[in-house]
Every structure is written in structure tokens, then in C-alpha cells.
């Protein structure tokens, strides 16, 4: 029964989604990203690792990349977690998560990797469920349909651009349960692939935070930071767009595994480091509509209806800003006058 329903739903979604890439090039920057963000949040809520919604989302993403001309494939991997019940008892759980990878070869094998995550939060305790964290109703519009939407528009607009360096787009699952998707991706990299990865651009939670941050990882050479983070901020100034950096001493947490593995990194996410939080997790000042200063993992807040009502115009603004900055940046990096 599930198989027939899944195939029927997938056929409808793919037939609707197939027209998107043909429309994107003629639209303003950010329009396609917003369209995709809304589509993914609406049709694939509860994208928990190993869930039917996550599998459908992976199928959808692979179809989108393939329709743009990318070589695309899905990667399954085993993800584990511990569930804590009310009495403190821990129960191990295992799921099969699915990441999607799309690539387009340039003149040389060295590559730029754009990475984000597909999955929404998987409740890990009775307390999570009581507080409506994660679960089947979480649309994850900010975390992280926003990253997926921007990734898909970048992929579409870069699909016909001549490339010196290769491009790889990676939509990971299992990120909301200990960055297991990142670890699986890193574990599968061959030595030559590691050597050929010039830069990783990480996209995460681009909407709710007060400010859009471009930050380099701690392992990123200063010369690369100038050509990536600083260049992104220069492009923002050129177009009069709001963007900033958290500074040399404070590194956002989303980059942990790629940064620890020594890859040059550009992290793009929305938060508010000026609030005094040490880990960058607080996205905005606490308010009536965002009592904890964040919408992360909260089904009642991280959804299109809530964000459109209490942050009107923000989705349109942020998708436009992010694409308008990253598109010329990646185009320059993929076809440099001199190598990174």
C-alpha cells in the first residue's frame, strides 16, 4: 500500500517540479530558490532521516538535478540515535538515511562543493515530543528548506556556465542527529577527492536569523578567506545587500566536521552573534513570536504560515540576497584568473 501511494505521490510531485528549471533562468535572482523552498516545505514536511518524506525529498532533489543536466545519484547510509524516555531509559534506534549528490565536471578535477542538509529534526526523547520539537508536522522552512532552495537555484543558474573547476552539490541527510551525513560523506571521499576539494560552501538556516553571515572556517587559509568570505561581503556592498561576518574569533557550529577535516570552508547562515550567545545558535532577540529567539526544530514556528505572518517578506528578501551574492562569487571561483 505504501509503495503504491509513494509512487503516485512521487509521480505528481515530479511532474509539477519538472517545469521549475525551465522557468528559473528568466526570473529574478532568488525567485526560483523561494519557489523551491516553499515547494519542499509544503510537500515534504517531517523530512526526518529515514522517513518516507525524506525518501520522497531525495527522489525529488535527484530528479531536479538530473533535469538540469547534472550527473546525480543517491547515497544510502545507516544512521543511529538514542531515544530517551520519560523515565530516563535509552532505546537505540537505526534508520537508513539518503543523501543526494550532483556533479558537473569542469576542465580540471579540482572542485568546489556546495553542501546543505535535507533532513528535519528527529525527536530524540519524550520531552522533545511533548514540546513539539521535530516530528511529522515540522516543515523546516528555515531549517533547512532555505538551504535546499538556494542550492537548487545556484545549480540551475550554473548548469550552463563554462567551468574551469568542477562543481558538486551535496544535499545531506542525518545532519539533525549528530552530523552523520557529513561523516558519511567524508568517510567515502577518496584521497584524490579530498585533495581536489578546493572549497566547501555550507548553506544552513538562511531566513529567521536577524543577519546573514558569511564566515570562514578555522582551517581556511587567509588567502582563501579573502577570495571567498571577503569577496562575498564585497559583492553584498556592491549591490547594497545586508550581509556581515561573525569575525575571526567566533566560528559558527555548522561547519564542525568539514572544518575539522581541514577543508577550506565558507559558512553561510542567518543568526545574531551580537546577542552574546557563544555558539551562534540564537537567531534573533527573544520576542512574543519567537520566545526563545529561535525557530529551530519547532514545528509551530518553523513553517511557512508563521514566518510569512511574523517575518513578512523575509523569505523573498533572504533567498534573493543569498543567491545574488553567491552566484557571482561561485562563478568567479569556478573560472578564476588564477587558481585558489
Amino acid at each position: 500500500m505504501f509503495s503504491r501511494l509513494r509512487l503516485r505521490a512521487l509521480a505528481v510531485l515530479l511532474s509539477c517540479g519538472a517545469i521549475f528549471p525551465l522557468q528559473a533562468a528568466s526570473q529574478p535572482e532568488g525567485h526560483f530558490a523561494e519557489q523551491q523552498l516553499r515547494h519542499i516545505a509544503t510537500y515534504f514536511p517531517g523530512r526526518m532521516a529515514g522517513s518516507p518524506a525524506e525518501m520522497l525529498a531525495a527522489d525529488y532533489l535527484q530528479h531536479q538535478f538530473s533535469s538540469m543536466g547534472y550527473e546525480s545519484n543517491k547515497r544510502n547510509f545507516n544512521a543511529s540515535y538514542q531515544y530517551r524516555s520519560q523515565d530516563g531509559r535509552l532505546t537505540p534506534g537505526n534508520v537508513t538515511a539518503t543523501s543526494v549528490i550532483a556533479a558537473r565536471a569542469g576542465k580540471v578535477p579540482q572542485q568546489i562543493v556546495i553542501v546543505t542538509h535535507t533532513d528535519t529534526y528527529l525527536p530524540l526523547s519524550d520531552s522533545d515530543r511533548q514540546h513539539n520539537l521535530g516530528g511529522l508536522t515540522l516543515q523546516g522552512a528555515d531549517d533547512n528548506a532555505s538551504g535546499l532552495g538556494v542550492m537548487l537555484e545556484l545549480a540551475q543558474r550554473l548548469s550552463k556556465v563554462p567551468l574551469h573547476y568542477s562543481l558538486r552539490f551535496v544535499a545531506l541527510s542525518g545532519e539533525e542527529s549528530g552530523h552523520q551525513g557529513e561523516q558519511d560523506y567524508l568517510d567515502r571521499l577518496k584521497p584524490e577527492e579530498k585533495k581536489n576539494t578546493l572549497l566547501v560552501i555550507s548553506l544552513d538556516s538562511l531566513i529567521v536569523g536577524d543577519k546573514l553571515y558569511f564566515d570562514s572556517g578555522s582551517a581556511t587559509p587567509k588567502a582563501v578567506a579573502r577570495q571567498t568570505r571577503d569577496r562575498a561581503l564585497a559583492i553584498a556592498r556592491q549591490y547594497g545587500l545586508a550581509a556581515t561576518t561573525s569575525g575571526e574569533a567566533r566560528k559558527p557550529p555548522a561547519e564542525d566536521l568539514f572544518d575539522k577535516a581541514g577543508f577550506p570552508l565558507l559558512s553561510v547562515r542567518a543568526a545574531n552573534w551580537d546577542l552574546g550567545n557563544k555558539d551562534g545558535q540564537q537567531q534573533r532577540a527573544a520576542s512574543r513570536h519567537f520566545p526563545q529567539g529561535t525557530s529551530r526544530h519547532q514545528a509551530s514556528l518553523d513553517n511557512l504560515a508563521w514566518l510569512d505572518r511574523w517575518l513578512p517578506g523575509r523569505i523573498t528578501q533572504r533567498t534573493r540576497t543569498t543567491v545574488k551574492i553567491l552566484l557571482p562569487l561561485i562563478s568567479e571561483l569556478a573560472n578564476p584568473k588564477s587558481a585558489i
Side-chain angles (χ1 to χ4, degrees), residues 55-312:
M55 290 187 287
L56 284 170
D59 288 341
Y60 176 77
L61 292 170
Q62 184 185 30
H63 173 82
Q64 288 294 305
F65 285 125
S66 296
S67 69
M68 296 173 189
Y70 289 88
E71 182 180 344
S72 180
N73 63 80
K74 294 181 292 183
R75 286 186 180 177
N76 295 333
F77 64 96
N78 296 322
S80 60
Y81 62 94
Q82 295 276 349
Y83 187 89
R84 182 180 295 275
S85 60
Q86 196 88 31
D87 59 9
R89 180 167 47 90
L90 291 175
T91 304
N94 295 282
V95 297
T96 300
T98 305
S99 296
V100 180
I101 298 175
R104 182 171 165 235
K107 294 180 180 179
V108 297
Q110 286 81 13
Q111 64 181 358
I112 297 167
V113 178
I114 297 92
V115 63
T116 191
H117 73 88
T118 305
D119 60 315
T120 52
Y121 185 67
L122 174 69
L124 297 176
S125 66
D126 287 343
S127 176
D128 280 352
R129 294 187 184 279
Q130 291 165 6
H131 290 88
N132 200 24
L133 299 179
L136 296 172
T137 62
L138 175 57
Q139 285 191 338
D142 177 52
D143 185 18
N144 188 32
S146 64
L148 291 170
V150 168
M151 171 183 279
L152 286 170
E153 177 160 345
L154 292 173
Q156 193 282 330
R157 291 185 178 274
L158 292 164
S159 63
K160 304 300 182 183
V161 173
L163 298 177
H164 179 74
Y165 294 129
S166 301
L167 289 179
R168 179 176 287 198
F169 294 90
V170 181
L172 298 170
S173 186
E175 286 302 281
E176 294 289 7
S177 52
H179 300 287
Q180 295 182 70
E182 277 182 82
Q183 190 62 62
D184 176 74
Y185 178 81
L186 291 170
D187 289 344
R188 297 196 196 198
L189 282 179
K190 299 176 182 178
E192 61 269 25
E193 290 178 314
K194 293 181 180 180
K195 181 180 178 181
N196 286 334
T197 299
L198 302 176
L199 176 70
V200 175
I201 300 175
S202 173
L203 308 172
D204 192 14
S205 300
L206 303 170
I207 308 301
V208 172
D210 286 328
K211 300 177 182 180
L212 187 63
Y213 288 87
F214 290 79
D215 288 298
S216 296
S218 59
T220 305
K222 290 184 178 180
V224 177
R226 287 194 297 268
Q227 291 177 292
T228 56
R229 178 199 60 205
D230 296 350
R231 178 58 183 149
L233 297 177
I235 293 171
R237 289 192 297 270
Q238 176 184 343
Y239 289 113
L241 302 171
T244 187
T245 181
S246 66
E248 296 290 344
R250 297 179 295 183
K251 306 300 178 186
E255 63 209 28
D256 285 353
L257 297 187
F258 284 108
D259 194 27
K260 288 178 181 178
F263 290 101
L265 179 77
L266 177 64
S267 172
V268 186
R269 62 186 292 132
N272 192 330
W273 283 92
D274 296 335
L275 295 172
N277 58 115
K278 295 181 180 181
D279 59 5
Q281 291 293 330
Q282 187 170 352
Q283 298 170 289
R284 55 192 305 103
S287 67
R288 175 185 172 189
H289 307 302
F290 297 92
Q292 298 171 320
T294 179
S295 65
R296 190 172 288 109
H297 304 163
Q298 300 173 69
S300 60
L301 304 184
D302 193 2
N303 64 75
L304 295 172
W306 191 265
L307 298 184
D308 283 338
R309 182 176 183 183
W310 301 114
L311 295 175

